[in-house]
Amino acid sequence: MLMPSLSDDQESRQCFLAGLVVRSLSISTSNWRCAETLGDYLAERNIMGIYDIDTRVITRRLRQDGSLIGVLSTERTKTDEELLEMSRSWDIVGVDLISGVSCKAPHDWVDKTNTEWEFNSSKRGGEAFRVIAYDFGIKHNILKRLASYGCKITVVPSTWPASETLKMKPDGVLFSNGPGDPSAVPYAVETVKEIIGKVPAFGICMGHQLLGLALGGKTFKMKFGHHGGNHPVRNLCSGHVEISAQNHNYAVDSSSLPEGVEVTHVNLNDGSCAGLAYPAQNIMSIQYHPEASPGPHDSDYAFREFIQLMKKVKVNSRVMAALSFI
């Protein structure tokens, strides 16, 4: 199996994968963009992989018992009991996985969606909006879509103080996707609390969950999470059904949300909260990935709605400023 050019497909500054399990490892390919073998790709990054595994058996076990902890090891001296003990000693619950994948310093982002792949040119032109994007493990294509909509973006670390963000006078703040348990990063929840209500906010995946917590709601660990590119989501505002890409193990408990917070999207597989809005504080969020293209572009409108939200707030502030001089 060969890997395509990383300049086209890599979604982060590095591969944060801990391990890879596949059933059948192909030794040939027909993709003209392939640049290296999968084995070489993993070896260069010191990532463990294993193949010839019956992944359907694993899938059936996970469906029955929920997410489980497993161990990959090359240490032949370890007994089965020792390997089992290793798996019992680790748990995703309560672990801060964000700090290990976030950037270390603020930086500007300017790359847009490549013209070869761009599918919507109607958004070009018009006013540019200044967006601060919190990196909780952000995917590059989220930044590319915002840039393609004309945003001027500064990416900041997960620990970046809210006070510093507000000093930068952004038109909006993006709280990005990221791995793990949202309740394990109280510092991020506090940052979100300090920002919402002051500038428009858009949360994606982990950002959606952090907004839910910051607004007073609760999150919970799902039995086996949502993973893959074929999850149907109903937009309750439009009635449309989107085919979405999802990758998360936690969800917002919609029954815990305070009055005024609206559930805007629902996962049709299990009825879980897939989006929320709080108009009074100019907040919107979705649990899935609008930058991914399983639909192929069912959810890209979310970026447009964020632009419209920032524009509305900016226009209203100008009107209020003008009225103050009358």
Side-chain angles (χ1 to χ4, degrees):
M1 182 180 292
L2 299 180
M3 298 295 292
S5 169
L6 295 183
S7 61
D8 292 333
D9 296 283
Q10 188 140 304
E11 285 281 0
S12 188
R13 69 181 187 278
Q14 72 180 73
C15 182
F16 292 103
L17 193 67
L20 180 66
V21 178
V22 298
R23 178 166 187 160
S24 177
L25 182 66
S26 173
I27 60 174
S28 62
T29 180
S30 60
N31 192 313
W32 61 273
R33 295 190 302 123
C34 289
E36 64 181 327
T37 67
L38 177 60
D40 287 344
Y41 176 88
L42 296 177
E44 289 170 7
R45 293 157 180 79
N46 197 32
I47 297 171
M48 187 178 297
I50 187 171
Y51 65 95
D52 282 347
I53 298 297
D54 191 340
T55 51
R56 292 306 302 166
V57 168
I58 296 176
T59 299
R60 287 193 290 268
R61 174 72 184 277
L62 295 177
R63 282 178 175 171
Q64 175 181 319
D65 298 332
S67 298
L68 300 170
I69 305 299
V71 173
L72 292 180
S73 176
T74 57
E75 298 183 34
R76 296 178 180 273
T77 59
K78 289 190 177 295
T79 65
D80 289 349
E81 186 55 40
E82 287 175 321
L83 293 173
L84 286 171
E85 186 57 35
M86 288 176 64
S87 71
R88 297 186 186 110
S89 65
W90 190 87
D91 195 349
I92 190 175
V93 177
V95 177
D96 176 4
L97 297 179
I98 286 177
S99 58
V101 300
S102 179
C103 63
K104 304 307 178 186
H107 62 276
D108 292 333
W109 181 275
V110 296
D111 291 347
K112 301 179 181 180
T113 301
N114 190 297
T115 54
E116 182 180 2
W117 304 108
E118 184 55 74
F119 56 90
N120 185 0
S121 60
S122 62
K123 59 187 172 295
R124 299 192 185 282
E127 186 175 8
F129 292 93
R130 172 97 162 120
V131 173
I132 304 300
Y134 271 84
D135 178 8
F136 300 131
I138 197 166
K139 292 176 66 179
H140 287 172
N141 208 33
I142 291 175
L143 298 171
K144 289 178 181 178
R145 295 312 297 147
L146 282 173
S148 293
Y149 274 91
C151 294
K152 296 180 179 179
I153 308 162
T154 298
V155 182
V156 298
S158 60
T159 55
W160 189 250
S163 58
E164 292 300 313
T165 292
L166 296 173
K167 285 179 185 177
M168 299 164 80
K169 299 187 182 303
D171 296 307
V173 174
L174 170 79
F175 300 112
S176 84
N177 63 291
D181 181 356
S183 66
V185 287
Y187 61 88
V189 177
E190 288 304 312
T191 298
V192 175
K193 283 183 180 179
E194 293 176 34
I195 290 174
I196 56 177
K198 299 180 177 69
V199 294
F202 179 24
I204 296 176
C205 199
M206 170 62 77
H208 160 80
Q209 296 164 14
L210 293 174
L211 279 168
L213 290 173
L215 289 169
K218 298 178 181 178
T219 57
F220 63 94
K221 188 176 186 299
M222 309 175 82
K223 183 177 180 181
F224 37 68
H226 293 158
H227 307 280
N230 59 350
H231 288 262
V233 169
R234 182 181 296 279
N235 182 327
L236 299 180
C237 302
S238 67
H240 294 165
V241 174
E242 307 163 29
I243 300 301
S244 68
Q246 305 201 16
N247 187 26
H248 60 102
N249 289 306
Y250 290 80
V252 173
D253 179 0
S254 57
S255 66
S256 70
L257 294 170
E259 185 178 354
V261 179
E262 306 168 1
V263 174
T264 56
H265 299 72
V266 173
N267 187 300
L268 293 180
N269 285 334
D270 59 10
S272 60
C273 176
L276 59 83
Y278 191 12
Q281 292 194 358
N282 299 303
I283 293 170
M284 57 176 287
S285 71
I286 51 178
Q287 177 62 79
Y288 50 101
H289 286 267
E291 84 291 345
S293 303
H297 307 303
D298 293 11
S299 308
D300 193 72
Y301 71 87
F303 295 107
R304 183 176 66 253
E305 290 187 348
F306 183 42
I307 301 298
Q308 292 169 345
L309 180 62
M310 290 188 288
K311 184 176 182 178
K312 182 193 74 172
V313 172
K314 201 166 189 177
V315 168
N316 288 345
S317 64
R318 287 172 179 168
V319 170
M320 294 302 295
L323 290 175
S324 66
F325 286 101
I326 298 176

